[in-house]
Amino acid sequence: MAKNFLLIGIVLVSFFSRAQSAGNKESVSEKKVVQQTLNQKFAAPVLSAYQENSKTKIEDLFSYFQMLTDASLSDDLKKEIVKSINLLFKDSNTTVIDFTSESLDKITLQQFIQKLLISEPMLFSVSNATQFNSVDYNSWKIGYTISITKSGTTNSVKVVHKVFFFKTPKVFGDQTKEVLSTILGEMQ
């Protein structure tokens, strides 16, 4: 009789340990799904299209920066440009490189915009050679070189820019749908 209880006990312990082990495997599996990178979620051509879109946004960004230093533009137009810049970023307090200073310190986007508004004219050019790397579950990094011409002097700066991939609400007529879009993050 004691042997039967012992045998039943061993079988029950074995059964419960297998059930616990299966439960742990499921939670680990669920975490892996959440942590799946964008290049695992999307086919290479789809991810490449979003990355090219982010490259275009970066080129637009530096065109906007250049326009802010143009003294011939009206204040109203500059306000619209600032709004457009803010729409490109995840957060208006995102850290960017201060291209107006020789030390190239990192400051918030809003501080940089204020410096550009009082800066002498600057020309920005984004290099064609870009590199996409460090893809994770909601972002990637894009590397590029910026050429800055100020007072007849041209300097080049290598930049690594984080780009986020989000679902954002878009209004289509009287309906709102979530679409996938890229939003700029901090510069390094």
Side-chain angles (χ1 to χ4, degrees):
M1 179 98 153
K3 288 183 182 181
N4 287 339
F5 283 124
L6 184 59
L7 183 59
I8 292 172
I10 290 174
V11 169
L12 287 175
V13 167
S14 172
F15 175 75
F16 286 124
S17 68
R18 285 187 189 160
Q20 176 109 14
S21 173
N24 286 343
K25 287 180 183 175
E26 286 177 19
S27 65
V28 169
S29 173
E30 288 172 6
K31 287 179 184 175
K32 286 182 181 177
V33 169
V34 171
Q35 297 295 329
Q36 200 176 33
T37 63
L38 290 173
N39 56 1
Q40 293 169 328
K41 289 180 186 178
F42 297 106
V46 174
L47 183 58
S48 179
Y50 280 109
Q51 289 175 327
E52 284 301 315
N53 174 271
S54 68
K55 180 181 172 186
T56 302
K57 284 188 176 188
I58 288 170
E59 290 167 351
D60 291 346
L61 172 68
F62 283 96
S63 293
Y64 291 147
F65 285 165
Q66 182 173 317
M67 285 191 272
L68 288 180
T69 66
D70 186 347
S72 67
L73 295 180
S74 70
D75 287 342
D76 289 338
L77 182 56
K78 286 185 178 185
K79 286 178 185 177
E80 290 302 315
I81 292 169
V82 169
K83 286 180 187 176
S84 296
I85 291 170
N86 286 325
L87 288 174
L88 291 174
F89 278 85
K90 181 181 176 199
D91 180 6
S92 62
N93 288 318
T94 299
T95 306
V96 298
I97 296 170
D98 182 3
F99 296 104
T100 63
S101 75
E102 290 182 24
S103 61
L104 300 172
D105 295 326
K106 292 180 188 173
I107 59 176
T108 68
L109 175 63
Q110 293 310 306
Q111 290 171 324
F112 183 57
I113 288 171
Q114 293 307 312
K115 288 183 90 171
L116 286 175
L117 288 169
I118 59 171
S119 174
E120 63 185 81
M122 298 173 70
L123 300 174
F124 292 97
S125 175
V126 181
S127 68
N128 288 332
T130 56
Q131 299 172 344
F132 300 100
N133 51 31
S134 300
V135 177
D136 66 21
Y137 74 97
N138 75 341
S139 67
W140 60 82
K141 291 183 180 177
I142 179 173
Y144 55 92
T145 302
I146 290 293
S147 295
I148 306 117
T149 304
K150 181 177 171 183
S151 302
T153 305
T154 302
N155 294 318
S156 294
V157 178
K158 291 186 183 223
V159 178
V160 176
H161 206 139
K162 192 164 191 173
V163 179
F164 291 93
F165 191 71
F166 283 115
K167 289 182 180 180
T168 54
K170 294 277 183 174
V171 177
F172 298 98
D174 60 348
Q175 293 183 355
T176 301
K177 295 188 179 196
E178 283 193 346
V179 296
L180 299 171
S181 58
T182 53
I183 300 173
L184 301 179
E186 68 271 359
M187 289 181 195
Q188 302 173 346

